[in-house]
Amino acid sequence: MSVRHGRPVLSIPGPTTVPDEVLNAMHRPAVDIYSGPLLEVTDSCLADLRTVFATEGRTYIYAANGHGAWEAALTNVLSRGNKVLGLESGRFALGWADMAAVLGVETEMLPGDWSRAVDPAALETRLRNDTDGTISAVLVVQVDTASGVRNDITAVRKAIDAAGHDALLMVDVIASLGTMPFEMDAWGVDVAVAGSQKGLMMPPGLSFNAAGPKAVARHASADLRTAYWDWTTREGEQHYMKYCGTPPEHQLFGLRQAIDMLFAEGLENVFERHRLLAEAVRRAVAVWAEGNAISFNISEPSQRSDSVTTIRVDGGHDVASLIRYCDEKCGVTIGVGIGGIEDTAFRIAHMGHVNAPMVLGTLGVVETGLGALGIPHGRGGVQAAIDWLASEVKA
Ligand SMILES: *Cc1c(COP(=O)(O)O)cnc(C)c1O
């Protein structure tokens, strides 16, 4: 017996739900790549991405996933023999630094912990000890999708400045752009990396770099540059060169629509919607935690992201069964734990094209699963989420 037949709900931290309007915008014949509507779409998307990143700097669109944009960012500003410092706070800064190592860059991780944000004081100390300036760049993730942490990028910037260090600040905003405030220029970020399939409500397959003036200066002498990712080549006049080959046409029509939807809602309202829905999830988890089997992965409340919540299940209760129950019995796909916490965690995403019924539905199904599987939990998590929304979303 199941109650899954109906519209499926996808509650994983990427790819996220693609709006029908975006799917419809992509459902069209292919067009010419040298003239016609695609040229305008490219120019307007590149310009509007600057608004989304909050930068006056340059933006680049790649036909690639987030890993591609990671590689693009690294190869455009680094040289062989450079060293980067990755700030550990989950899985993704590690992955990015690993990629740098493969490229022939020396890498060092500032050790961190999966249950908390990066420590700016430890960063400042490490950079002060780098007296001969061997560290070329600091790599940090704004929201780590594995741990669910939000890092304070302004505090990271302050730590670099306090140490008087010249390293570039490179930030992965793949899971935070379009879900939480990010102010590239105001926060002193030199390079930002994003992907299409999370807050930007698109299918996977497009990713982005944004580069400030200091990054562009480093780029001039970077010797890891390759023909495909190269920012300068992509500045070329020919529309074709903006993508180093055939533009990902349908994805671009989709992106145009997705950005239009973000602007129509207003970025401030987009962020506030995410905050309200994320807090609804947190209210529910806090009640479930009263059963002493469930807990937040991120211990400090202010460090929990508005994109995804990572939830620990202790005491040997079977997380895989819970995830399977939600999917097979109720039609909700929730996220598995990743990066070593597969057996003890699950994730509820609340990013992108998401609204109250989607979040309340997901919470209701998780609470149903906890009950059906006999996993100890405080009762009334969904009610707490409802109470939160009822008090904050005024009539
Ligand atoms: C999803 C994600 C990535 C990887 O993106 P892909 O498109 O899977 O390559 C990198 N960093 C963060 C923070 C992410 O959430």
Side-chain angles (χ1 to χ4, degrees), residues 13 65-68 70 92 141 143-145 172 174-175 197-198:
N65 61 18
H67 281 69
W70 269 356
F92 286 96
V141 172
V143 167
D144 187 288
T145 330
D172 169 342
I174 294 175
Q197 77 274 25
K198 300 194 179 170

Side-chain angles (χ1 to χ4, degrees), residues 10-17 92 143-148 174-176 179 196-199 202 204 305-311 323 333-338 346-352:
L10 185 66
S11 213
I12 62 172
T16 61
T17 297
F92 286 96
V143 167
D144 187 288
T145 330
S147 67
I174 294 175
S176 49
T179 76
S196 59
Q197 77 274 25
K198 300 194 179 170
M202 279 282 296
S305 84
D306 289 342
S307 316
V308 58
T309 299
T310 302
I311 299 154
I323 294 170
T333 308
I334 56 174
V336 296
I338 58 167
F346 67 95
R347 295 177 297 162
I348 297 178
H350 27 81
M351 65 169 115

